Amino acid sequence: DKAGHKHFMSKEISEQPMVISNALNFYLNKEGTDIVLPGKGLDFSKIDRMVMVACGTASYACLTAKYWFEQIANLPVEVDVASEFRYREPPIEPGTAALFVSQSGETADTLAALRYCEGKADKIVSVVNVDESSISRESDLALPIHAGTEIGVASTKAFTCQLTVLLLLALKAARARGAISAEDFADKLSSLRALPGIFNHAFENNADFKKSARRLAEAESVLFLGRGLMYPLALEGALKLKEISYIHAEAYASGELKHGPIALIDKKMPVVVMAPRDGLFDKTVSNMQEVMARGGKVMLITDTAGAEEAGDGVWQSLILPQVDPILTPILYALPAQLLAYHTAIAKGTDVDQPRNLAKSVTVE
Ligand code: F6R
């Protein structure tokens, strides 16, 4: 049932404020002041490092979480795609927690990577949407994301719910490891509780996303740039776009631009820059100006403050509400999804069932 939507993808995109809220309700105590993990939980004070493994969109959730765990909880994290991890057979030292992220819980490479870690990692944790799945069953600690059934092949609400749960986990780790004060912890939880409402506001600009997407649909190739927490989001934006609109898209960390991809810049290739007005904003803007100086067309995704400061001369700017910088990956997933969705509509592709793709990849 598409609940009045033309596609499951748009229904699932629109459900995000609700399902993020469901995920928060599941993990927060009644007062909303603490994070409670199911079962025996995980004592992060006994963990020295973490490896996070997944495929596709779920691997970008892991990459985002690496920034959170390292910056908020002071916990070193390695991230890898499952197909590389499993055959590289990396050493797993004592004190390692291995964490697997999967919407379906059945992805063959991710499951094989989990089995490789059995008996080696101190704890096997999974962040899964389908509770009764192989990955869930074979974990010491299975953390549900409460996104509800996801039918559209391109993952949307599962991604933002994965991020929500991973951020809660990073905050939990930070508290256990003494890396965050009680005051900052309370502050972050209150920002998180406000997120579904803010996410709702972001939909008010849907018409702008649609208009911009129509212009993206004319491109042969699109470049996505982001720095820090926006780098994994740039990767996700490029993946979403190529999956459903079949437009070639690539993502780079903004700072990598001058190490090669800047050679691609011309009038024809739109460059999507994801840059909330955070501590790295000026750095990203200077990369953006390098693109513009070479005649590149920039689509800047930012907040009001960012647009005021750096919106001059850009091809298009898309505005999102201001949020606590820690939450930007969850909010900025929305433009990544909507741009891909509306571009695909403009191109007339099969949004829910893109060619050559399967919802669950159970063979390697
Ligand atoms: C992208 C997408 C895929 C999946 C990947 C992992 O939109 O859906 O990249 O994220 O195949 O699938 P799960 O999360 O089921 O392990």
Side-chain angles (χ1 to χ4, degrees), residues 64-75:
T64 310
K66 173 183 169 77
Y67 289 77
W68 281 330
F69 276 100
E70 295 194 342
Q71 291 175 346
I72 310 170
N74 195 30
L75 182 67

Side-chain angles (χ1 to χ4, degrees), residues 304-334:
T304 312
E308 270 169 21
E309 214 165 306
D312 279 355
V314 304
W315 180 48
Q316 299 173 70
S317 32
L318 290 169
I319 310 292
L320 288 170
Q322 204 93 32
V323 272
D324 185 325
I326 209 181
L327 298 177
T328 51
I330 310 178
L331 186 65
Y332 281 61
L334 183 67

Side-chain angles (χ1 to χ4, degrees), residues 225 227 253-259 262-263 265-266 271 273 282-298:
L225 296 178
R227 207 179 256 273
S254 308
E256 278 290 290
L257 186 68
K258 49 168 83 68
H259 301 287
I262 198 161
I265 304 297
D266 64 13
V271 179
V273 178
D282 294 345
K283 299 278 172 205
T284 307
V285 165
S286 92
N287 302 128
M288 183 181 97
Q289 281 157 350
E290 288 158 5
V291 170
M292 284 163 29
R294 285 157 186 83
K297 297 194 292 194
V298 169

Side-chain angles (χ1 to χ4, degrees), residues 8 12 18 43 58 61 68 70 74 85 98 129 141 164 168 178 234 259 325 348 355:
F8 283 110
E12 289 160 5
M18 180 184 77
D43 184 354
W68 281 330
E70 295 194 342
N74 195 30
F85 180 88
N129 197 31
L141 174 65
T164 302
L168 288 167
H259 301 287
R355 68 185 183 200

Side-chain angles (χ1 to χ4, degrees), residues 66-208:
K66 173 183 169 77
Y67 289 77
W68 281 330
F69 276 100
E70 295 194 342
Q71 291 175 346
I72 310 170
N74 195 30
L75 182 67
V77 173
E78 290 295 331
V79 175
D80 210 344
V81 290
S83 55
E84 285 302 311
F85 180 88
R86 64 179 288 196
Y87 292 115
R88 195 174 69 252
E89 304 186 346
I92 308 287
E93 287 170 62
T96 304
L99 189 149
F100 303 87
V101 179
S102 175
Q103 188 286 129
S104 63
E106 300 296 345
T107 300
D109 280 325
T110 310
L111 182 58
L114 181 152
R115 288 179 178 156
Y116 169 77
C117 290
E118 272 168 10
K120 298 186 185 78
D122 285 28
K123 191 105 171 171
I124 301 214
V125 186
S126 62
V127 172
V128 195
N129 197 31
V130 180
D131 290 343
E132 286 307 308
S133 60
S134 307
I135 290 176
S136 199
R137 272 195 304 272
E138 296 191 25
S139 310
D140 302 319
L141 174 65
L143 302 172
I145 62 168
H146 292 284
T149 311
E150 191 180 64
I151 293 170
V153 165
S155 189
T156 54
K157 61 175 180 170
F159 178 64
T160 44
C161 285
Q162 285 161 356
L163 289 178
T164 302
V165 172
L166 289 167
L167 177 54
L168 288 167
L169 211 55
L171 288 167
K172 178 96 188 158
R175 206 63 199 116
R177 295 165 62 78
I180 191 171
S181 68
E183 204 185 346
D184 285 348
F185 181 73
D187 186 54
K188 296 303 165 204
L189 287 191
S190 100
S191 301
L192 256 169
R193 289 195 310 267
L195 180 64
I198 296 171
F199 209 102
N200 250 326
H201 279 303
F203 280 104
E204 289 163 12
N205 293 340
N206 194 19
D208 292 345

